[in-house]
Amino acid sequence: FFQKSTMMPSTVRVLRLGLVRPLPPLSSQAPQTASFRRDDRRSVSTLVLLRHGQSQWNGPQARFTGWCDIPLTVRGRVEAVAAGQLMRSRGFEAKRVCVAFASELQRSHETCELALASMAGHEQDSWNPNRIRKDWRLNERHYGAVQGFYKNDPDLKRDYGEETIRHWRRSMHGKPPKMGKMHKHYMPPPAPQTESLYDCQARVVRCWEDSIAPAMFEEEDLPYPPDERTVLVVAHANTIRSLMAYFDNVPENQVQNMYIPNSVPILYRFKTETRQPISVKLESNHGGSHARWMLGPENHMNIREALSGGGTLTRAIFEALGAGRDLTITGRDIEMGVRELMRDDLAPMDCVVMGVAKEICRNIAPDEKIHYKEFELKTQEALEDFTLKNLNPSDIVSKETAGSY
């Protein structure tokens, strides 16, 4: 889900993750400079993006849900509560959220309410549902005539062909046939008849520009001033993907590779004056992002989906730690890279990248040199060390392939 193409390992930094075991002392050869020092930090506006919990049409038999108003599963409600607990444990209490935005669909709005109630903890009087603003432009991408169909429906493959369906799902401009008025899921305007991902992004960006951004940077009479303000947006895979692509300047041909797990909080910090992301972008040869992903016991399975099998995030970690052109790196390089990455700690937030990097750092000798392929294996080992809180043995975990939606 990190998308652009510039490689800048020497300037990459991410937010720090609290350690159970401390890092070993840094040698005297460690870099002593940083472009963003602790005493230079500024107050910033914070945007938290959250995809709704698992819905009844997610999972192994996933459908093209789109604008169909499908409720959460029991697991989806638990995920929403867990996301709220995680945010509260990281200092984001409900009273800090000045405004929350949700789509018009119940899976988004219910996740938003459950997360905020969980963020309030025992202080339930510190939040109010009236703080939630619904906006149809945050609705999921509309899938036209195929909305409501199973994604693996053999009739769809027979009628349209696998290549055409793949084009609808994975390109910016492909779109399914229009939905007619006789379709059982037809809705009148402003619901579209069909949408490409490009169409979806256009309306989401308009929502950002004329509703979300003003709430973050302009509105008065809110509990906190803009430079201390937090805004929560609870939406859907494609609408969050669209916002992230906009913030990170992701090329069109890379947007479809961005993976948005259910109920994993994603943080963006903005400089109030410029309204631009302030966290240093984590780069790789596949792209980069200003986002910071919150990691907790309840969402490790979703995070594993994004990291499994190597890919863009694993490569981003490798390059961020200072890997050489020969695709090798030493234990000392990793240690120094982790120390440098920690310099951008605007707040003690969990970050998946830092969690994995630090775990690898603890398990490699200073002079040991490893190749990227071995680094991928160590990344998987680091993930296995994270504890996963299962709900019940019979629970079905929704699994999606990165890049599909």
Side-chain angles (χ1 to χ4, degrees), residues 294-357:
M294 263 193 217
L295 179 63
E298 292 81 6
N299 64 28
H300 284 159
M301 180 62 77
N302 290 335
I303 292 296
R304 277 199 179 98
E305 289 298 302
L307 277 169
S308 61
T312 58
L313 181 54
T314 307
R315 184 61 176 263
I317 300 171
F318 186 68
E319 292 169 351
L321 294 174
R325 292 182 178 273
D326 61 350
L327 294 182
T328 62
I329 193 169
T330 67
R332 185 171 288 104
D333 291 333
I334 295 176
E335 179 188 336
M336 293 171 62
V338 168
R339 298 284 185 177
E340 183 67 12
L341 293 176
M342 289 173 67
R343 295 182 184 275
D344 189 29
D345 52 349
L346 285 167
M349 292 301 144
D350 281 355
C351 177
V352 179
V353 175
M354 285 304 299
V356 171

Side-chain angles (χ1 to χ4, degrees), residues 113-139:
E113 283 197 336
L114 289 171
L116 280 170
S118 183
M119 291 165 74
H122 65 280
E123 301 175 316
Q124 286 299 306
D125 59 347
S126 65
W127 80 285
N128 190 306
N130 294 332
R131 212 181 303 171
I132 302 175
R133 304 178 186 179
K134 293 184 180 181
D135 196 312
W136 68 267
R137 293 172 298 181
L138 292 174
N139 282 11

Side-chain angles (χ1 to χ4, degrees), residues 1-3 254 257 284 286 306 310-317 372:
F1 46 77
F2 291 98
Q3 303 310 316
Q254 294 290 339
N257 295 324
S284 81
H286 292 88
T312 58
L313 181 54
T314 307
R315 184 61 176 263
I317 300 171
Y372 172 64

Side-chain angles (χ1 to χ4, degrees), residues 329-331 334 359-366 368-370 378:
I329 193 169
T330 67
I334 295 176
E359 191 64 33
I360 294 173
C361 181
R362 298 186 191 101
N363 292 283
I364 181 171
E368 183 179 353
K369 180 181 285 190
I370 61 173
K378 288 186 177 295

